[in-house]
Amino acid sequence: MGDPSEKKRRRAEDDTSKSKKKKSEGAGAAMEFSITKVHTPQVSPPVVAVTPGFLLRDKHAFDVYEKVPPQANKRRKSGGIPQAPEMALHSSTHVSIDYTARETEQMLNHYLAIVDPKTKEIEIISAKKMMVRHKVRAQQEERKEPGEESAAQTNYERRTALGEEFGTRKAKKALKSVADNAIMASTDNLGQAENTMLQNVKEVFAKSATKEELQAAVDQVRPVPKGNYNAEHIQDVYIPREIIGSEILNAVPVMDWQEAVRNNEAVNVPSRFVAHRIARVAANKEDKERLQVLRYLLWVIILWVTTGKGRERGTKTIAKRDKLRELLSPAPEVVIENIRRKFSDNGVMRKEHMELLMTHCCVFASIIDNFEVNINDLREDLKLEQKQLAQYFMEVGARVKQSKAGGVMKHIAKLQLPLVFPRIRSGARR
């Protein structure tokens, strides 16, 4: 075997061979430059601007706005470099476009290099990088010749805007009267079609209902029991035989309750309000009607507490007929159907049915307690908030007041003439 060094022996250079690459002779030689100064301008520095999405072809004069940061001129205790002022540019020299430039990348320092090829020196100048945005101005309907008249109109509009925003009441009233007079004056120049339209609008407003008429319409559709609101005595406003019906009220049995009270026997009922009043109401033999109202109220409360969640949102379903007979026993069939039809639609209770049931309970409770009732027991039976039940009492014309006795807060709903119903809320007076 031969020597391995002979295999890697380099070829002898031939002076006659020429390289394919040509040597550059002075034309592309690198030039040496030296940085002489780094300027931080005392006035507004140069700007490196980018215009994303559009081209800024024309030359526009920009106004410079600077915001000096607080305590910029004071020497800092830490000895750090003071914060540079924020700068913004704005130009409105274009016919219909405004240009605004704002700083970007404020945490980075940008510089421009000015190269002098003769002296081979470079000056570094601090610059700001900004992004230019454009916005089209709203075109005026009538463009006048540039002069004092257009400038005065613009200044007037500015003063008017400032007066409406920051002026006193007297100043705002004066501006409003000026605007109203301008509108009325402009109607003289309207055509026949515009005048006809304005006349029709005036007629519509003249025929619109007054506040009293609207209140009367609301009172008619309010979900409350039928009442005689022109009665001279409070006992004649809500009459049980007109609300429930004479036939239905006569069918309500009360003999078992009267015998139990006469024999000092306890009567178990699933209602705090009814349980606390059976003995007092049943003891009066001559007032059988009030005891019948009390038992009718018991069955209405049982109907309410045994309802379930309906299929539709905000609805409830009452028990089936067989289950309802068991729950309302010993109520006659005619009474069960009366309650079922009055407070549901085919077994479904909607919002109007629920409100009607609550207002009926409020009226029945007022009749039983001589038109002045402590609503705490009824609130527990109906499972309502204090504010909700008080609102239902106010819907039937009662006044709700609070009283504290023995450390216990009581809410008393009193029904007296004249009845006070909730009024229509009107907007704030301007």
Side-chain angles (χ1 to χ4, degrees):
M1 296 180 63
D3 189 0
S5 61
E6 294 180 0
K7 294 183 179 180
K8 296 182 180 180
R9 184 181 302 164
R10 298 180 61 183
R11 182 182 300 177
E13 295 182 358
D14 189 1
D15 296 336
T16 60
S17 64
K18 297 181 179 179
S19 176
K20 295 181 180 180
K21 296 183 180 180
K22 295 182 179 180
K23 295 182 181 180
S24 59
E25 297 178 356
M31 300 177 64
E32 295 183 356
F33 293 89
S34 61
I35 299 176
T36 58
K37 295 181 181 179
V38 178
H39 290 290
T40 302
Q42 299 297 328
V43 295
S44 299
V47 172
V48 180
V50 292
T51 57
F54 68 98
L55 295 176
L56 193 62
R57 297 181 180 275
D58 301 331
K59 295 181 179 180
H60 301 284
F62 282 84
D63 297 327
V64 181
Y65 299 91
E66 289 187 349
K67 180 181 179 182
V68 180
Q71 298 180 355
N73 297 326
K74 296 182 179 180
R75 182 180 297 177
R76 298 188 178 184
K77 296 181 179 179
S78 60
I81 300 174
Q83 185 179 357
E86 297 182 10
M87 190 175 71
L89 305 179
H90 180 75
S91 174
S92 57
T93 56
H94 194 274
V95 178
S96 59
I97 300 177
D98 285 343
Y99 296 98
T100 304
R102 297 185 182 276
E103 292 187 51
T104 61
E105 302 179 2
Q106 297 182 5
M107 303 304 294
L108 296 179
N109 294 328
H110 299 271
Y111 296 93
L112 291 178
I114 301 177
V115 181
D116 189 351
K118 294 182 179 181
T119 60
K120 298 182 181 181
E121 294 180 351
I122 299 177
E123 293 186 9
I124 304 297
I125 302 177
S126 176
K128 289 182 178 291
K129 184 176 181 180
M130 308 189 79
M131 183 176 294
V132 183
R133 298 292 186 182
H134 66 290
K135 184 177 181 181
V136 180
R137 291 194 301 271
Q139 297 291 338
Q140 297 181 359
E141 295 181 0
E142 297 180 359
R143 295 192 61 87
K144 300 182 180 180
E145 294 296 331
E148 296 180 357
E149 185 177 358
S150 61
Q153 184 179 3
T154 304
N155 292 333
Y156 174 76
E157 293 176 354
R158 291 175 180 175
R159 289 198 302 270
T160 303
L162 288 174
E164 293 177 351
E165 186 69 22
F166 303 103
T168 60
R169 292 184 179 180
K170 187 176 181 180
K172 292 179 181 179
K173 186 176 180 180
L175 291 174
K176 185 177 182 300
S177 63
V178 172
D180 293 341
N181 293 335
I183 293 173
M184 295 301 295
S186 63
T187 56
D188 297 337
N189 301 324
L190 295 178
Q192 183 178 2
E194 289 82 357
N195 288 325
T196 304
M197 183 183 65
L198 289 177
Q199 188 65 27
N200 293 335
V201 171
K202 291 180 180 178
E203 293 177 359
V204 170
F205 276 101
K207 296 179 181 178
S208 60
T210 61
K211 187 175 181 179
E212 290 74 14
E213 293 174 349
L214 291 175
Q215 183 65 44
V218 171
D219 293 340
Q220 290 180 358
V221 299
R222 182 181 285 114
V224 297
K226 182 180 179 181
N228 180 18
Y229 303 117
N230 297 323
E232 297 180 357
H233 302 283
I234 192 62
Q235 296 84 356
D236 300 331
V237 177
Y238 295 109
I239 302 175
R241 293 191 175 275
E242 295 181 359
I243 299 174
I244 301 174
S246 299
E247 182 181 356
I248 304 301
L249 194 62
N250 292 332
V252 176
V254 292
M255 188 69 70
D256 52 342
W257 279 9
Q258 290 177 337
E259 292 181 357
V261 172
R262 192 181 307 115
N263 298 329
N264 294 326
E265 296 177 358
V267 180
N268 296 325
V269 291
S271 169
R272 292 169 57 90
F273 183 88
V274 177
H276 293 165
R277 290 157 178 83
I278 288 179
R280 174 173 58 83
V281 178
N284 189 358
K285 298 179 181 180
E286 298 179 357
D287 197 357
K288 180 181 177 181
E289 183 179 277
R290 186 174 295 183
L291 187 60
Q292 290 172 332
V293 173
L294 184 63
R295 193 156 205 179
Y296 188 89
L297 173 61
L298 173 64
W299 290 332
V300 173
I301 294 174
I302 294 175
L303 174 75
W304 169 253
V305 298
T306 56
T307 55
K309 188 176 181 181
R311 293 183 179 179
E312 299 179 7
R313 185 178 181 181
T315 62
K316 290 181 177 293
T317 57
I318 64 175
K320 301 296 183 181
R321 281 187 169 87
D322 296 339
K323 183 66 175 179
L324 201 59
R325 293 190 188 99
E326 180 182 350
L327 293 172
L328 303 183
S329 178
E333 187 68 23
V334 63
V335 178
I336 296 175
E337 284 299 318
N338 173 267
I339 296 175
R340 188 175 183 276
R341 292 177 181 178
K342 185 185 291 292
F343 303 115
S344 71
D345 182 10
N346 293 328
V348 179
M349 295 183 67
R350 293 180 172 83
K351 182 180 179 181
E352 57 270 17
H353 299 111
M354 301 177 194
E355 293 178 350
L356 188 64
L357 184 144
M358 297 301 172
T359 54
H360 272 74
C361 291
C362 294
V363 169
F364 295 153
S366 299
I367 294 173
I368 294 166
D369 281 1
N370 294 322
F371 307 101
E372 189 171 352
V373 52
N374 184 359
I375 67 177
N376 292 337
D377 290 342
L378 189 62
R379 177 179 59 84
E380 294 289 340
D381 292 340
L382 298 177
K383 299 179 181 179
L384 296 176
E385 297 292 336
Q386 187 68 45
K387 186 177 180 180
Q388 291 177 313
L389 187 56
Q391 181 63 36
Y392 287 127
F393 269 99
M394 288 188 289
E395 290 290 339
V396 300
R399 298 178 176 88
V400 181
K401 297 182 180 180
Q402 297 181 359
S403 63
K404 192 172 184 180
V408 179
M409 183 64 69
K410 295 182 179 180
H411 296 80
I412 306 300
K414 188 174 183 179
L415 205 64
Q416 62 182 7
L417 295 177
L419 300 180
V420 180
F421 296 99
R423 308 297 297 177
I424 298 177
R425 292 185 178 180
S426 59
R429 190 171 182 179
R430 301 183 65 180

